[in-house]
Amino acid sequence: MDPLAHALQAIDALHSADPTTTATGTPNELHYAQRMTAWLYRHTPAPESPSAALQLAIRAQHLKRWEVPRATYPAGKAGYYAWRTGLARRQAELAMEVCVASGIAEAEAQRVGQLIRKEGLKGKEVDAEAQVLEDVACLVFLEEQLEKFQGGYEEDKVVAILRKTWGKMSERGRELALTEVRLGERGRELVGLALGDS
């Protein structure tokens, strides 16, 4: 087995240990990783192919996330951002370990870690692959999580979060969000409000 296939298989094995499952019984983080990969290939127009590092980072973005619940950090915005930052560092380290153990070169494993930490998204020179990862995460949020998420917050907060989500995406990501993400009626309404279409 080549190192990329071996590493992807090892990442999926870790995802499969997630004790929470979807309605069909698939471990939640395995399902999330599969949706991330599916959107990666929809984002990448043929005949182009995503790099091995990007494939691995996409697949490992939430690696063992269930082991660090949000409640392990303080409440509030500062606690939330600390949790997110801590998760990104931890997930990057875990993914790099899996990559090296699977035969991925150290430099490429380091690149996987950089992408998972979303380095290169700020400043004048945006890392194109980090932006793809950001786009894909936003698309999975819209497709998989918006419906559940919208029920737990006031409309104004959901609309504000959707505006922030839209601001994180590239033109390609926004195009896919508008043309290929299947939203329910309420989801479409909220996106319309966020984009000023009301």
Side-chain angles (χ1 to χ4, degrees):
M1 185 181 296
D2 73 274
L4 173 59
H6 189 282
L8 289 169
Q9 188 177 82
I11 289 165
D12 282 353
L14 292 174
H15 288 320
S16 296
D18 186 352
T20 61
T21 61
T22 66
T24 60
T26 304
N28 279 331
E29 293 303 349
L30 179 61
H31 174 78
Y32 178 84
Q34 290 168 342
R35 295 311 304 150
M36 288 284 287
T37 295
W39 275 109
L40 171 62
Y41 282 96
R42 290 166 80 173
H43 193 291
T44 309
E48 294 180 33
S49 180
S51 72
L54 183 55
Q55 291 180 58
L56 289 162
I58 288 280
R59 199 74 169 196
Q61 197 211 1
H62 277 188
L63 198 55
K64 301 183 85 170
R65 182 176 181 154
W66 70 87
E67 292 185 346
V68 187
R70 170 66 183 91
T72 59
Y73 281 75
K77 188 178 287 187
Y80 172 75
Y81 285 117
W83 174 65
R84 290 284 302 271
T85 301
L87 277 175
R89 288 187 187 131
R90 181 177 189 266
Q91 288 155 184
E93 288 297 323
L94 289 169
M96 288 161 55
E97 289 172 10
V98 170
C99 287
V100 171
S102 300
I104 301 290
E106 179 69 32
E108 191 160 35
Q110 292 286 342
R111 175 65 176 154
V112 172
Q114 289 174 344
L115 289 169
I116 291 172
R117 291 188 298 268
K118 297 183 183 177
E119 295 176 6
L121 279 179
K122 295 179 181 177
K124 292 181 180 179
E125 296 295 324
V126 174
D127 183 316
E129 290 190 317
Q131 183 60 63
V132 172
L133 191 150
E134 186 71 59
D135 283 354
V136 168
C138 291
L139 290 164
V140 173
F141 166 71
L142 292 170
E143 176 190 60
E144 295 278 322
Q145 299 161 354
L146 176 59
E147 185 173 344
K148 181 179 179 182
F149 183 80
Q150 70 193 22
Y153 296 94
E154 295 293 326
E155 180 180 280
D156 287 351
K157 184 173 179 67
V158 177
V159 169
I161 288 167
L162 284 169
R163 285 191 184 122
K164 286 181 183 177
T165 300
W166 200 254
K168 293 176 181 179
M169 299 171 78
S170 70
E171 287 304 314
R172 173 64 175 159
R174 292 171 184 172
E175 175 193 349
L176 290 168
L178 290 173
T179 61
E180 296 195 30
V181 174
R182 293 185 302 272
L183 295 172
E185 184 177 343
R186 179 58 175 157
R188 288 194 301 272
E189 180 184 347
L190 289 165
V191 169
L193 289 169
L195 301 184
D197 294 340
S198 57

